[in-house]
């Protein structure tokens, strides 16, 4: 069997992330992803060139998005010989795409790949209820005027009410925010702790912008030049005025709009390659994607909807022969401040590590100064499928420019799943 090859992270590009219904109110998943891939192509000289595979997707999608990765590649000006594969694992979509492409590069199946993701809440599909949908199908199949008229027998105008997009989990009927409230209560996470983490995220993101860190990562699009959710002027006092967003009646709610990610539109992409392909195309190698892990838990029976990354990271570290403390950088996706804090607390908890992670001792704590030092999703926003690529691209650049050695990435997803990865700086 051939020796596994290193998976090089060449670099990344993304369009600015915007709050839903603002900068990209008239854009689509396709237009955003195509713009992102075009930005990546311009950055690395890929216009008209064939990439071995583009893989990515969207969480909120229309039927017209069925061939999204392929169509976006063509619109972006990549060679028509570049295949596109659609993939979706909720918020972990583009990181999972990177792991899949990385495995193909490592085994020699492909030489290069683009992992990507896009999501728009502003262009959410609006659908009718099941009863009216069935009527429309029958109407389309009807041949005679009588048959067409018959499809509306018993019709009521209430059937025309659209079914709004929902973040409810099908197995529980609870939204992600409601699940996270339960997690915060279980782990004793206070609102003050959540607000402090959210404030740090905004301050770190604002500082990264001031230092020019994002200058070569972001491709302006639709007149938007930078993320519009970063709040350099926010404060704990301002955050304290926010009312609970998910538990509004018990008096115990701790999750607010200030310590939860906003609904966001955007897209991101990362270019991966073999070292040989990167050299042949005179491209840099910022870092290596070395190992990854996907995990799931029984969230419907109390394990915590957003706690699966604790399992993914634990299993990944066992395979890698590393401890939780063997990292210079921790990039933990901030779906909610409470979710990050629950994750950190679980790794320190002896009972959880024994009963859930199968470990003899707690995994321990991390150096908080190494956690999301450039800010994360609470500040930048969270276009579901795009977040993994944003984090991976940011991580690779940070390792390369700040001479850090190894980074851990953790992304929670809907459905009680988690995706984790390890990235190491190119030496």
């Amino acid at each position: 069997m051939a020796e596994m090859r290193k998976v090089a992270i060449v670099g990344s590009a993304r369009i600015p992330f915007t709050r839903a219904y603002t900068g990209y109110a008239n854009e689509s998943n396709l237009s955003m992803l195509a713009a992102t891939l075009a930005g990546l192509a311009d950055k690395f000289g890929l216009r008209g060139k064939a990439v071995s595979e583009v893989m990515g997707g969207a969480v909120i999608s229309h039927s017209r998005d069925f061939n999204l990765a392929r169509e976006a590649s063509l619109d972006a000006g990549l060679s028509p010989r570049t295949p596109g594969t659609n993939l979706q694992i909720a918020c972990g979509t583009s990181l999972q795409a990177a792991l899949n492409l990385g495995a193909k590069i490592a085994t020699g199946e492909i030489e290069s790949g683009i992992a990507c993701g896009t999501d728009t809440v502003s262009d959410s599909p609006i659908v009718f209820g099941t009863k009216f949908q069935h009527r429309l199908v029958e109407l389309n199949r009807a041949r005679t005027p009588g048959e067409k008229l018959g499809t509306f027998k018993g019709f009521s105008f209430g059937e025309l009410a659209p079914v709004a997009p929902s973040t409810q989990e099908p197995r529980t009927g609870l939204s992600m925010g409601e699940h996270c409230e339960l997690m915060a209560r279980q782990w004793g996470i206070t609102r003050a702790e959540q607000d402090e983490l959210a404030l740090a995220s905004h301050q770190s993101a604002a500082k990264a912008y001031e230092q020019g860190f994002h200058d070569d990562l972001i491709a302006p699009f639709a007149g938007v030049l930078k993320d519009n959710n970063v709040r350099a002027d926010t404060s704990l006092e301002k955050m304290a005025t926010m009312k609970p967003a998910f538990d509004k009646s018990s008096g115990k709610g701790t999750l607010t709009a200030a310590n939860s990610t906003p609904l966001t539109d955007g897209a991101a992409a990362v270019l991966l390659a073999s070292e040989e392909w990167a050299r042949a195309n005179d491209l840099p190698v910022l870092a290596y994607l070395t190992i990854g892990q996907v995990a799931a838990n029984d969230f419907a029976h109390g394990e915590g909807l957003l706690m699966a990354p604790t399992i993914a990271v634990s299993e990944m570290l066992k395979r890698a022969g590393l401890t939780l403390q063997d990292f210079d950088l921790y990039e933990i996706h901030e779906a909610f401040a409470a979710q990050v804090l629950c994750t950190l607390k679980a790794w320190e908890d002896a009972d959880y590590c024994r009963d859930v992670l199968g470990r003899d001792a707690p995994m321990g704590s991390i150096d908080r100064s190494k956690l999301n030092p450039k800010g994360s999703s609470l500040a930048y926003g969270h276009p579901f499928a795009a977040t993994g690529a944003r984090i991976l691209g940011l991580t690779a650049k940070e390792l390369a420019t700040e001479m850090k050695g190894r980074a851990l990435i953790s992304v929670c997803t809907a459905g009680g799943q988690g995706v984790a990865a390890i990235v190491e700086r190119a030496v």
Side-chain angles (χ1 to χ4, degrees):
M1 182 177 178
E3 182 179 351
M4 293 291 104
R5 303 187 300 178
K6 288 186 176 181
V7 180
I9 303 174
V10 174
S12 66
R14 67 178 177 91
I15 58 175
F17 290 175
T18 70
R19 280 175 170 262
Y21 316 115
T22 60
Y24 302 149
N26 297 315
E27 300 300 332
S28 66
N29 279 327
L30 179 58
S31 67
M32 293 192 304
L33 186 57
T36 297
L37 294 181
L40 191 73
D42 290 339
K43 185 175 179 179
F44 296 111
L46 302 177
R47 292 274 187 175
K49 292 186 178 181
V51 175
S52 298
E53 186 173 2
V54 174
M55 183 180 293
V59 177
I60 302 175
S61 61
H62 292 262
S63 58
R64 64 173 180 259
D65 294 331
F66 77 101
N67 212 11
L68 192 58
R70 170 65 170 168
E71 293 298 327
S73 301
L74 294 172
D75 287 351
L78 297 178
S79 166
R81 296 207 170 191
T82 300
T85 301
N86 279 7
L87 173 150
Q88 196 261 87
I89 178 173
C91 312
T93 294
S94 48
L95 182 56
Q96 174 75 324
L99 295 178
N100 287 1
L101 291 171
K104 291 186 175 187
I105 291 169
T107 59
E109 180 180 346
I110 62 175
E111 293 297 323
S112 59
I114 297 174
C116 56
T118 179
D119 256 301
T120 168
V121 176
S122 301
D123 188 35
S124 299
I126 303 298
V127 300
F128 294 106
T130 303
K131 190 171 184 179
F132 192 70
Q133 288 184 45
H134 289 167
R135 288 190 191 278
L136 293 179
V137 171
E138 292 174 9
L139 179 64
N140 185 60
R141 298 179 62 189
R143 297 183 178 182
T144 69
E147 289 177 344
K148 292 179 184 295
L149 186 61
T151 62
F152 288 94
K153 183 178 179 181
F155 168 78
S156 70
F157 283 102
E159 295 176 28
L160 296 177
V163 178
S166 172
T167 58
Q168 289 183 336
E169 288 290 334
R171 296 191 176 277
T172 64
L174 300 179
S175 70
M176 188 175 287
E178 289 169 327
H179 271 285
C180 199
E181 276 282 14
L182 296 176
M183 289 165 47
R185 201 165 300 166
Q186 176 184 355
W187 287 98
I189 306 299
T190 68
R191 175 168 171 172
E193 292 176 284
Q194 297 173 51
D195 287 351
E196 288 169 3
L197 190 146
L199 177 63
S201 186
H202 281 280
Q203 291 176 333
S204 296
K207 184 178 179 180
Y209 262 110
E210 291 171 4
Q211 295 173 338
F213 182 85
H214 295 289
D215 289 353
D216 67 337
L217 297 179
I218 295 180
F221 174 60
V224 182
L225 303 180
K226 61 184 294 185
D227 306 312
N228 70 6
N229 187 65
V230 179
R231 298 286 182 265
D233 61 346
T234 193
S235 66
L236 291 177
E237 290 72 24
K238 290 180 180 179
M239 291 181 173
T241 65
M242 305 295 290
K243 295 180 179 180
F246 303 101
D247 180 358
K248 302 177 182 180
S249 60
S250 74
K252 299 179 181 179
T254 60
L255 273 68
T256 70
N259 56 42
S260 307
T261 52
L263 296 174
T264 315
D265 303 335
V270 178
L271 177 60
L272 307 172
S274 66
E275 293 179 295
E276 295 78 10
W277 190 89
R279 283 196 297 267
N281 287 275
D282 196 27
L283 293 174
V285 175
L286 299 182
Y288 297 106
L289 179 61
T290 60
I291 190 170
Q293 187 84 36
V294 182
N297 69 6
D298 190 5
F299 72 95
H301 295 94
E303 288 193 347
L305 178 70
L306 305 179
M307 297 298 288
T310 62
I311 303 171
V313 169
S314 177
E315 294 302 315
M316 180 176 68
L317 295 184
K318 289 177 183 177
R319 289 169 52 216
L322 297 171
T323 72
L324 187 60
Q325 291 70 40
D326 290 335
F327 295 87
D328 304 295
L329 174 64
Y330 302 86
E331 286 292 335
I332 300 180
H333 161 48
E334 299 167 343
F336 304 89
Q339 159 260 316
V340 177
L341 295 168
C342 287
T343 293
L344 297 179
K345 204 163 185 178
W347 285 331
E348 298 171 356
D349 187 83
D351 292 340
Y352 185 88
C353 288
R354 181 189 64 246
D355 299 339
V356 178
L357 305 182
R359 288 176 168 266
D360 295 331
M363 293 175 66
S365 61
I366 68 169
D367 182 343
R368 291 290 187 93
S369 69
K370 300 177 181 180
L371 173 65
N372 298 343
K374 302 298 183 186
S376 192
S377 305
L378 286 168
Y380 298 118
H382 174 35
F384 307 120
T387 288
R390 177 195 67 77
I391 292 175
L392 183 60
L394 179 148
T395 300
K397 179 178 178 179
E398 189 167 7
L399 290 178
T401 58
E402 301 189 9
M403 305 298 287
K404 296 179 179 179
R406 182 186 293 129
L408 184 150
I409 295 175
S410 171
V411 178
C412 62
T413 89
Q417 301 184 100
V419 187
I422 293 174
V423 180
E424 297 186 0
R425 179 171 63 89
V427 180

